[in-house]
Amino acid sequence: MPIVSTQHMDVAAGCLPTHQLLNVDGKRIPDEELDHHLKELKEADLADFLRDMIVLRRMDNEATALQRQGQLGLWAPLLGQEAAQIGSVRATENDDFIFPSYREHGVAWARGVQAEDLLSVWRGAQASGWDPNEVNIACQQIVIGSQALHAAGYGMGIKFDGGKQVSVAYFGDGATSQGDVNEAMIFAASYQAPVLFFCQNNQWAISEPVALQSRTQIADRAHGFGLKTWRVDGNDILAVYAATKAALAHARHGLGPTFIEAVTYRMGSHTTADDPTRYRKAEQLEEWKAKDPIDRLVKYLHELGADVQSYQQRAENAADDMAAKLRAAITSMEDPQAEELFTNVYAEEHEPTQRSAKQYLDYLADFEGGE
């Protein structure tokens, strides 16, 4: 699906324009609706965006390599989706609460989750890698779309309490075909709760193309529920940031829930257990390589006359530091003890859980000493 400027698009009936503020050549495109959300951005902020995306891509590469080396059980790559994640999360306030899916590694990292804590779950060393209340982001959700209901409920709580925060749910295009996501939008719209539903349309629901599950734009589905909706070029970090700012402001001021469809592309596999060459063409991959979000921002910084080389070097140094720390932590991480499987299931002592723990440990004891 092509990305075009809102100034050069004939919008079909029922279809939203796709906002693009930065084209593939790094040229700035004016956007009457979203430009004012970029007024406070400085060159230093753009340099930070570049650093974030470069560090995130390195983390993704390291995690994939660690999985191939047997250090992780599985990994869900995000290659190509760096702008969608960094641009959106950097637009949030610290007290906004985020509910991610299993691919929002960059969102969690940008919120302060350490890379090694993020990967510890994928290694199987921990059931959850961080305390959600310390960083205002829930642990990653594997069940497709279920986090949207959590976000809707949290948003309803914000409204009932009279708060100014926004609850943010991340999911992919495939999740919009799940009942949980649709029900979450119904509840959020019914209660006019401050919720932002952020869909990263990476074109593939595992091996099924988005055109198979949706005969129209994903954003049109949310519009049908009465949500204020934006559709953006998900590889354009400026468009993602500005649209997220707009969506958060709308929800924060009591105007109801919002929805963003960020049109991007999953350059890697669905997970490291997947072989994408079996269902997608190499030509499509090459087409999207030309839309790389990091290259696009680098070109824009050159357009601004920035010292891009120094920004890139700073980013590479940060990526090297993260990678060294990550690899050292993961390769020396101890496996959890069997009894940890039963801890933190309930806040208080729970007799059935204690009984199950004893039975399981007795079962394991039968294997000790070769018996």
Side-chain angles (χ1 to χ4, degrees):
M1 199 171 291
I3 302 296
V4 296
S5 165
T6 57
Q7 286 71 28
H8 300 88
M9 180 176 182
D10 294 326
V11 183
C15 290
L16 292 168
T18 305
H19 294 274
Q20 185 184 76
L21 279 64
L22 202 61
N23 69 17
V24 294
D25 296 319
K27 305 291 186 182
R28 182 72 165 82
I29 302 174
D31 187 293
E32 184 177 350
E33 180 182 358
L34 296 179
D35 276 350
H36 70 280
H37 290 289
L38 301 179
K39 288 183 178 179
E40 296 182 1
L41 277 184
K42 309 298 182 186
E43 183 180 306
D45 297 314
L46 299 178
D48 287 347
F49 288 169
L50 179 63
R51 177 205 59 206
D52 291 347
M53 289 197 291
I54 288 176
V55 171
L56 180 55
R57 183 165 292 186
R58 179 65 177 277
M59 183 202 301
D60 189 51
N61 289 336
E62 289 291 328
T64 299
L66 285 165
Q67 194 281 329
R68 299 307 189 201
Q69 296 162 12
Q71 297 294 338
L72 301 181
L74 190 70
W75 180 248
L78 55 81
L79 181 63
Q81 298 180 224
E82 296 88 356
Q85 296 196 17
I86 295 301
S88 58
V89 70
R90 291 304 186 195
T92 62
E93 299 293 337
N94 289 335
D95 59 350
D96 294 333
F97 205 99
I98 297 173
F99 296 84
S101 77
Y102 49 80
R103 204 181 303 276
E104 276 75 52
H105 316 306
V107 175
W109 173 80
R111 265 303 172 104
V113 176
Q114 297 298 307
E116 56 269 27
D117 291 335
L118 182 65
L119 267 66
S120 66
V121 177
W122 297 89
R123 181 180 172 86
Q126 297 187 64
S128 57
W130 63 87
D131 182 348
N133 293 315
E134 290 183 357
V135 287
N136 284 343
I137 179 169
C139 295
Q140 291 177 306
Q141 181 58 251
I142 299 295
V143 179
I144 305 295
S146 60
Q147 72 276 9
L149 283 172
H150 307 158
Y154 195 95
M156 290 164 62
I158 292 173
K159 180 164 186 179
F160 296 155
D161 290 343
K164 292 298 183 182
Q165 310 97 315
V166 178
S167 175
V168 184
Y170 282 87
F171 45 84
D173 49 289
T176 62
S177 294
Q178 289 288 110
D180 285 1
V181 173
N182 290 270
E183 291 162 8
M185 288 192 286
I186 291 171
F187 267 94
S190 297
Y191 287 89
Q192 289 292 280
V195 184
L196 166 57
F197 297 95
F198 192 95
C199 174
Q200 292 180 83
N201 176 3
N202 66 16
Q203 312 299 311
W204 293 98
I206 307 182
S207 59
E208 300 296 347
V210 66
L212 181 63
Q213 61 164 320
S214 182
R215 300 299 177 177
T216 185
Q217 296 174 350
I218 295 291
D220 290 337
R221 292 180 167 185
H223 187 70
F225 288 112
L227 276 62
K228 174 66 174 174
T229 307
W230 290 262
R231 192 174 195 264
V232 301
D233 178 349
N235 285 14
D236 171 2
I237 196 165
L238 295 187
V240 173
Y241 178 86
T244 306
K245 279 288 188 183
L248 290 169
H250 183 96
R252 203 181 308 281
H253 287 90
L255 300 177
T258 54
F259 186 100
I260 292 176
E261 178 190 356
V263 184
T264 182
Y265 194 81
R266 167 170 56 79
M267 299 296 291
S269 56
H270 174 68
T271 71
T272 46
D274 170 45
D275 178 8
T277 63
R278 299 183 63 182
Y279 55 81
R280 70 184 186 193
K281 297 180 180 179
E283 298 82 42
Q284 190 179 46
L285 194 62
E286 290 301 316
E287 176 188 342
W288 278 90
K289 281 183 180 179
K291 303 174 184 178
D292 184 89
I294 295 178
D295 290 345
R296 193 181 305 193
L297 182 55
V298 167
K299 291 173 182 176
Y300 180 55
L301 287 168
H302 278 297
E303 288 283 327
L304 295 178
D307 185 359
V308 180
Q309 184 175 359
S310 67
Y311 291 151
Q312 287 180 306
Q313 187 60 58
R314 182 186 69 147
E316 294 295 344
N317 291 342
D320 288 343
D321 290 344
M322 179 280 302
K325 181 180 178 183
L326 173 62
R327 183 165 287 273
I330 290 296
T331 55
S332 62
M333 194 172 287
E334 295 183 1
D335 292 335
Q337 298 298 310
E339 57 266 25
E340 292 180 34
L341 181 65
F342 301 92
T343 60
N344 298 318
V345 177
Y346 289 89
E348 301 175 354
E349 290 188 3
H350 185 251
E351 195 276 331
T353 302
Q354 293 174 326
R355 184 170 65 249
S356 296
K358 183 180 184 305
Q359 291 173 347
Y360 182 59
L361 293 176
D362 288 345
Y363 167 76
L364 293 180
D366 290 340
F367 296 95
E368 294 179 1
E371 296 181 5

